[in-house]
């Protein structure tokens, strides 16, 4: 299994396989109820629409597919390289995919392109929407974090957050900042809004509100209470690197 996504109604889940098919399974007893095939490479990510009647899948073949259960629609073209991830608005109004072609592409609920592609200078390595879906943040292989308007793909701001690739990022619960982790072993919290341009000199660089060391070699789960933040920041490290951020509370 390459990836999993539960349905919002908590009745079933979709499992993507390296062979390019999606299996539909009952959550209660794991009985397979359907199979969707069409991708020619591994499934890289899946999102189930808020109505639990549509599935959006991204594959290593560079295509995005919108499946209206139980019939599949034709694939959606757009990326020129492997698609690395897929996110969706909590309302189901849009989805976005990011790829090794250095772009983040928004699509409306019908799968049509929405706004302009959001473009990085390096391949995108992480993405996350704000809780109100108005903004989407991305991080790339050079350590730059960018913030985009989710409705039209316009750049809202960017800054160099890490020395090395951004591994994970997440908006704070109140939407006023972004927490990032990177290949440099650091966890940092940045206040919004970001500058519109990258700094010309080190003296111009924006400083994080706070930072914590989270080295790759740690390979443990840490819960850290942070002054001035609600709840706990959960850092998960597994094998090679810290790979996910989440808020609890």
């Amino acid at each position: 299994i390459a990836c999993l996504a539960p349905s919002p109604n908590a009745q079933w889940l979709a499992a993507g396989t390296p062979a390019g098919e999606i299996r539909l399974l009952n959550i209660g007893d794991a009985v397979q109820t359907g199979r969707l095939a069409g991708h020619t490479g591994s499934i890289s990510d899946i999102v189930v629409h808020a109505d639990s009647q549509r599935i959006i899948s991204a594959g290593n073949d560079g295509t995005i597919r919108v499946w209206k259960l139980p019939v599949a629609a034709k694939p959606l073209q757009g990326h020129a390289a492997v698609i690395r991830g897929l996110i969706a608005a909590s309302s189901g109004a849009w989805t976005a995919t990011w790829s090794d072609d250095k772009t983040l592409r928004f699509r409306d609920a019908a799968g049509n392109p929405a706004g302009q592609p959001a473009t990085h200078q390096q391949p995108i390595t992480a993405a996350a929407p704000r809780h109100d879906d108005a903004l989407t943040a991305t991080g790339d292989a050079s350590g730059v974090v960018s913030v985009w308007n989710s409705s039209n793909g316009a750049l809202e701001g960017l800054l160099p957050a890490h020395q090395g690739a951004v591994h994970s990022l997440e908006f704070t619960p109140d939407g006023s900042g972004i927490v990032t982790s990177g290949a440099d072993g650091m966890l940092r919290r940045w206040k919004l809004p970001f500058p519109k341009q990258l700094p010309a000199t080190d003296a111009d660089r924006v400083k994080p509100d706070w930072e914590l060391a989270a080295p790759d070699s740690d390979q443990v789960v840490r819960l850290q209470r942070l002054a001035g933040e609600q709840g706990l920041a959960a850092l998960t490290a597994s094998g090679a690197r810290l790979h996910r951020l989440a808020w609890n509370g």
Side-chain angles (χ1 to χ4, degrees):
I1 300 299
C3 51
L4 291 170
S7 65
N9 63 11
Q11 298 298 308
W12 52 271
L13 59 83
T17 72
E21 70 176 23
I22 300 170
R23 299 170 186 172
L24 306 181
L25 308 168
N26 286 334
I27 287 181
D29 54 17
V31 171
Q32 183 170 323
T33 59
R35 174 181 171 273
L36 306 173
H39 285 283
T40 58
S42 178
I43 308 294
S44 57
D45 211 352
I46 301 172
V47 168
V48 181
H49 191 272
D51 62 13
S52 295
Q53 297 298 309
R54 284 172 284 178
I55 296 172
I56 304 95
S57 60
N60 286 357
D61 57 6
T63 67
I64 308 108
R65 293 177 182 255
V66 179
W67 311 82
K68 183 173 173 57
L69 299 179
V71 180
K74 67 179 181 180
L76 305 173
Q77 303 298 326
H79 288 288
V82 172
I83 297 171
R84 293 299 182 183
L86 174 66
I87 55 177
S90 57
S91 64
W94 55 263
T95 59
T97 52
W98 66 95
S99 164
D100 285 351
D101 65 6
K102 307 175 186 177
T103 67
L104 175 82
R105 295 176 182 266
F106 292 95
R107 294 181 180 273
D108 62 23
N112 301 311
Q116 61 191 11
T119 303
H120 276 256
Q121 295 300 309
Q122 296 294 324
I124 297 172
T125 54
R130 197 165 70 175
H131 302 294
D132 61 3
D133 298 330
L135 299 176
T136 297
T138 53
D140 71 18
S142 70
V144 172
V145 172
S146 301
V147 178
W148 312 90
N149 185 310
S150 301
S151 64
N152 58 22
L155 179 65
E156 297 290 335
L158 74 170
L159 54 75
H162 294 278
Q163 295 180 349
V166 177
H167 283 175
S168 183
L169 50 78
E170 187 78 17
F171 282 90
T172 58
D174 64 4
S176 67
I178 297 174
V179 177
T180 64
S181 69
D184 54 7
M186 299 303 296
L187 176 76
R188 296 186 170 109
R189 199 270 198 195
W190 308 91
K191 185 178 181 180
L192 292 173
F194 288 177
K196 290 287 188 177
Q197 294 182 330
L198 291 174
T201 67
D202 286 344
D204 298 325
R205 294 172 70 101
V206 174
K207 300 294 191 296
D209 286 350
W210 50 255
E211 61 182 19
L212 297 170
D216 290 348
S217 59
D218 213 357
Q219 298 186 17
V220 297
V221 176
R222 292 182 178 275
L223 296 178
Q224 179 72 46
R225 185 169 295 279
L226 304 170
E229 301 287 353
Q230 297 179 353
L232 299 171
L235 293 70
T236 307
S238 175
R241 62 182 175 90
L242 189 148
H243 65 85
R244 186 176 182 182
L245 296 172
W247 291 97
N248 178 23

